[in-house]
Amino acid sequence: MMDGILDLQKKALEELDTIHDRNGLETFRIAYLGKKGLVTTWMKKLSALAPERRPEAGRLANQVKMNVTRCYEEAKERIALQKEKVESFLDVTLPGRRFARGSVHPITKVTQEICRIFVKMGFRIVEGPEVEWDYYNFEALNIPKDHPARDMQDTFYVSDNVVLRTHTSPMEVRVMESQTPPVRIIAPGKVYRRDSDVTHTPMFHQVEGLLVDKGISFSDLKGTLTSFVHQMFGYETALRFRPSFFPFTEPSAEVDIRCVICKGKGCRTCSNTGWLEILGSGMNDPAIYKFVGYDPEVYSGFAFGMGIERVAMLKYGIDDIQLFYKNDMRFLRQF
Amino acid sequence: MRVSLNWLKDFVDLEMSVDDLGEVLTMAGLEVESREPLGGSLQDVVAGKIVSVRSHPSSEKALFLCDVDSGHGIFQVVCGAPNVEVGMVAPIALPGATLPGGLKVKESRIRGEMSVGMLLAEDEMGLTDDHMGLMVLPADLAPGASVVDALCLDDSAFEIAITPNRADCASVIGIAREIAALTGQSLRRPHIRFKEGDRPINSLTSVTINDPGGCPRYAAGMVLGVELKPSPFWIRYRLFISGIRAISNVVDVTNYVLLELGQPLHAFDYDRLVENRIVVRRAKKGESFTTLDGKTHSLNSENLLICDAQRAVALAGIMGGLNSEIYQGSKNVLVESAFFDPVTIRRGSKALGISTEASYRFERGIDIEGVVAALKRSLMLMSDLAGGEVVNGIIDNYPSPHHRPLIEFSADKTNRFLGTTLSGGTMARYLSALGMEVEREDENTFQVKPPAFRVDITRDWDLMEEIARLEGYQRIPVTFPPIRASEELDPPEIFLGDKVRALMVEMGFAEVISYSFISPECADRLQTPKESPVRSFVGLLNPLTVEQSVMRTTLIPGLMAALGTNFAYGEKDLKCFEWGRLFLAQGGEQLPGEKYAFAAVMSGLAIRKTWHSEERPVDFYDIKGALEGFLDGLGLSSCAFKRGQTPPWYRPQAAALVTLKGIVLGTVGELAKEVVKSFDLDETRVFAFELDGSLLLDHAFPETFFKPLAKFPAAIRDVSLVVGKDVECDGIQKIIEREGGELLESVSLFDLYEGGKIGPAEKALAFRICYRSKETTLEGRDINVLHERIIGKLGKETGARLRES
């Protein structure tokens, strides 16, 4: 008989461990602790015992009832806690209520980056007209009307002597005309050429740079532009200076960087040369000093210019120049 | 310019690989744009002797069955060439060979007959464009001999970009000369030696120059009794590589010498020249002339002409005439070798729209001292190839011989300018290698006389460039200019532009960049009236298309195009902006006005459906809110929005002026339906604003002063008013502010209610008013008095009544 109650306790406690919800718990309560429950029923049987055995059996039975009741209460608490935990679950992986960000055009981004580098080197940003006198765009840059160098750029004309500037170089003349040396300027802006195909857009962007001072040498040009290339494309980027021709610089130098796509092995982007043209530059030709009244025996300096689209294409690996002006959000949102 | 490597080797020894040569030229300023091996794919082509020829039994076309001794056996080859004959030696490609252009030669059956390999014409080997018949190889060439070896076809073509200053390099000898200078080799001059006949040239012709400015030198020579026929292979091959079509031996010689020496020549049929003489003069206005391509041109005094006694026979330096050109029956040839003024030729060629190999070179300046040598070279080649007799002597009309400049050169100055430490001796060596006469006065100072073909060298700076080039740019040191402090500010436009972008990006707008040119038709699409400033376009004289023919006067069309791009692939919820210039015609002798403008557009949904929100389309208050946020960022939150003369592209009910102290900064509104439709954006509502950049520049970023924080508590009162629908919120706020005076700290609208118990012509507006004193804690009683007074005023001035709850 005594063993019976202990078996009952064991069975009850084992069953409790398997209960995980309120319904199960209620069923348990009714089954064991309810008015007709097993524990209650068993206690009722105590009266049938011999009187001398009753006290001990009563103690034991009470002990069992208390144990089962306590464990039941614990299970109740455990189940309530568990329920609370599930019901108040916060899914931290749900998307947040975002503040939508916009995007800056990649041309703007690259222009800002180029300007930042040169401003750090003491250059001042200037701007000028996009519709320009033939004089500033050509004549004063040593490109007279009947010079073959005019063939290098296809020009949009507004009138006989007004053009859409074909490069940012007119800013060199405008700045020198308005101030005496030393000069250190950088001039970003839109330029226009009458050319539209897979690799050309009729409008694009350039940055022009000009430095005039006493004692400036070709080696200073190399240093300044080497530093720029390193800051823009990384210090491991190899570069080379190659003779070229611009009517307003002498000597003139084209600056090539190691192809960023193939690292010099030769690919379609670099036409298998391993090099990419990135900048035009040169020492200021004394002929342009004549137009602005600088003395070439006292002052020397250099100028450079680069196409921003080209820099952006290389920097971001963009393979189609037309994308810059289609304003497709799938493109713009990447920057 | 495209040249054959073997041609260059005629004049200079090359002791380097083809790759290295490309690198040397590129790094000296003669950029090698491409390099192509020639003859490389002809390794499997051998000489084949034709042993027998029979007609193809089952072909109506003239096909032959040939037995060809290929050196490895005799094979039957089917061939359609008209010149095939027994005993002839011709190139044959055996099965397995790949021809230029990718054709794989296979054993095959042609109309039932076996053909083992292929007998070849020159064009099939990529050597010339000749397809008249099989290429005829020397009859003594052993069957099986390599064609590449026999014809010296182990060659490469170099495509070299010639910059406008280096006219002297527009010839094989020019490039060879440069290679010689760069590599320390010596230059071999072309061979010139020929027999002259007895008849003196002066008894046969004369040259009169009526315009010595346009024609400073004119030389002429003659060959009598030529026989016109095709040129030998080696001439046609070299012309072909350089992109010139072979015509006949006489004409080919003039082109060959043009490529070889850079001197354009012209061959006249002597007998077709009236009075057999030459006169150089300007054209008369309206004079017409037919060039040898059959086109007739109307001339003016810009054009320089070569004439005979009566009429023009050539456009000097550009193209010969139909009336005097060499033809199949020509017997006697007069060869012109002249120097024409570069500007004259350029103007003439531009005016007529004709650019030729000759005009290209004359425009850039040829070697005036090489005129006679080129003439003699052509007379030699012509008599070699076409037979005939070179007449005695030449005519060389050269009234005022060219003076080469004498340049004073300082080694020290050069080193300072380049940042180098080269010795005077090294510099002198470089200059001499380039053909300059160098006279050294001392270690530092030289007198330098450049050769006549270096028309680009007139000053000591030009010489410094040559020193840098020969030293190699890579060997010039790398230094930095000294840093100088600058007090100057960057232009405010740059600063403002960057600020505009930052603000708009924060609010979720994407920056776009549109072309500055638009279609003039945009003004119609925007419904602007005739006299609208939007129509005062700056037009282009030579636009690419009408769609890009005028400079923009508003940013709206560009933004509409951007919407269109994205609509096309189904993206309609858009927010974008542009900061850029507008162009306004000024008239008179001044440049157009350029000023910055700033515009933004919104379309589609303002809020998309998400797990936490329902979707909502964009409306007027979204664009206005963006604009308010933007203005606040520039310190312009005091801007007001007013009805007024808004542009015609807005829906009149939903448009406002943006004003600041009475100045109109811009406009905002919903675009009219028809406008949206005219930009091919159907069924869409588009909201936009556009502001004047220069006015923003004037007013943005007012100085900021600190206001002390409030010390006393505020009293908040809410008031709900019913007013007519047409009563503007702003007007009510103004009255509250005015009446509230010193004690009113702020007033804001917090609810708008229409419908329900409110009549259809009315709306209910609820304001929260915040009262506060700077000196004391306000008593409830005082506030109530003020509050009641304000409500009273509102009732009187706007008809507002309190909303019953």
Side-chain angles (χ1 to χ4, degrees), chain B residues 223-289:
Chain B
V223 184
L224 301 178
V226 295
E227 187 196 342
L228 257 78
K229 55 185 181 189
S231 299
F233 170 72
W234 62 274
I235 287 213
R236 291 183 291 111
Y237 166 71
R238 288 181 170 183
L239 291 181
F240 179 74
I241 288 169
S242 293
I244 293 183
R245 208 159 49 88
I247 292 166
S248 66
N249 48 8
V250 168
V251 176
D252 292 350
V253 163
T254 61
N255 286 327
Y256 186 85
V257 174
L258 169 136
L259 291 170
E260 183 177 74
L261 302 179
Q263 169 70 53
L265 302 171
H266 187 64
F268 292 101
D269 183 324
Y270 170 79
D271 302 302
R272 295 169 83 184
L273 298 173
V274 176
E275 293 180 21
N276 307 119
R277 62 191 184 92
I278 293 288
V279 178
V280 185
R281 65 161 169 86
R282 292 270 165 178
K284 295 176 202 101
K285 196 171 165 48
E287 192 169 351
S288 91
F289 180 69

Side-chain angles (χ1 to χ4, degrees), chain A residues 42-282:
Chain A
W42 201 87
M43 290 192 71
K44 280 178 187 160
K45 286 191 220 163
L46 278 178
S47 54
L49 279 181
E52 71 280 8
R53 291 183 63 187
R54 272 187 208 161
E56 201 200 331
R59 254 196 325 277
L60 185 64
N62 270 327
Q63 189 68 47
V64 167
K65 186 178 178 187
M66 269 168 60
N67 282 350
V68 172
T69 308
R70 196 191 66 231
C71 286
Y72 162 77
E73 291 298 334
E74 274 172 18
K76 204 169 145 187
E77 206 165 308
R78 168 171 61 83
I79 286 168
L81 258 174
Q82 207 170 18
K83 182 169 176 274
E84 160 83 12
K85 209 168 144 194
V86 169
E87 284 177 358
S88 66
F89 180 76
L90 181 87
D91 182 357
V92 295
T93 67
L94 272 184
R97 296 191 182 93
R98 271 179 85 140
F99 294 89
R101 268 195 83 261
S103 54
V104 171
H105 198 286
I107 291 298
T108 304
K109 258 189 147 160
V110 171
T111 309
Q112 287 171 340
E113 174 74 3
I114 294 169
C115 288
R116 193 185 58 77
I117 292 169
F118 283 106
V119 165
K120 226 166 49 177
M121 293 195 250
F123 287 74
R124 174 173 63 99
I125 305 175
V126 296
E127 288 203 310
E130 292 170 24
V131 184
E132 183 58 286
W133 296 112
D134 182 282
Y135 174 81
Y136 287 113
N137 196 73
F138 291 123
E139 295 279 328
L141 288 166
N142 202 26
I143 315 173
K145 270 231 153 65
D146 294 303
H147 196 277
R150 287 219 173 183
D151 292 348
M152 292 166 88
Q153 303 167 2
D154 272 327
T155 311
F156 283 116
Y157 283 89
V158 166
S159 70
D160 272 355
N161 52 5
V162 177
V163 301
L164 300 191
R165 66 177 176 188
T166 55
H167 46 189
T168 39
S169 310
M171 287 311 297
E172 292 184 24
V173 186
R174 283 183 173 269
V175 167
M176 287 192 280
E177 219 175 48
S178 66
Q179 76 172 88
T180 53
V183 174
R184 256 168 221 251
I185 55 109
I186 178 123
K190 292 190 169 85
V191 299
Y192 304 86
R193 289 190 198 168
R194 207 175 171 286
D195 209 350
S196 184
D197 57 35
V198 184
T199 54
H200 296 87
T201 51
M203 179 185 89
F204 57 103
H205 293 74
Q206 281 190 341
V207 172
E208 190 81 8
L210 173 71
L211 185 150
V212 185
D213 210 332
K214 283 180 183 159
I216 298 298
S217 66
F218 188 65
S219 57
D220 292 332
L221 174 156
K222 282 189 70 178
T224 304
L225 296 180
T226 299
S227 171
F228 164 73
V229 165
H230 285 164
Q231 292 185 61
M232 192 75 203
F233 292 99
Y235 286 85
E236 69 291 348
T237 308
L239 71 162
R240 68 178 190 184
F241 291 79
R242 176 164 58 78
S244 186
F245 169 75
F246 305 106
F248 44 100
T249 54
E250 175 132 341
S252 301
E254 207 86 64
V255 182
D256 298 339
I257 62 169
R258 261 274 172 249
C259 179
V260 293
I261 311 290
C262 65
K263 310 285 177 218
K265 284 190 211 81
C267 66
R268 211 165 55 93
T269 305
C270 61
S271 319
N272 286 313
T273 61
W275 295 96
L276 296 165
E277 214 171 286
I278 193 83
L279 267 162
S281 67

Side-chain angles (χ1 to χ4, degrees), chain B residues 481-492:
Chain B
I483 295 289
R484 278 181 182 275
S486 165
E487 286 200 327
E488 287 157 298
L489 295 172
D490 290 337

Side-chain angles (χ1 to χ4, degrees), chain B residues 613-632:
Chain B
S613 63
E614 290 308 310
E615 67 173 40
R616 179 174 67 71
V618 174
D619 68 18
F620 178 83
Y621 299 102
D622 289 305
I623 192 81
K624 185 183 172 192
L627 180 49
E628 285 171 327
F630 166 77
L631 290 168
D632 194 33

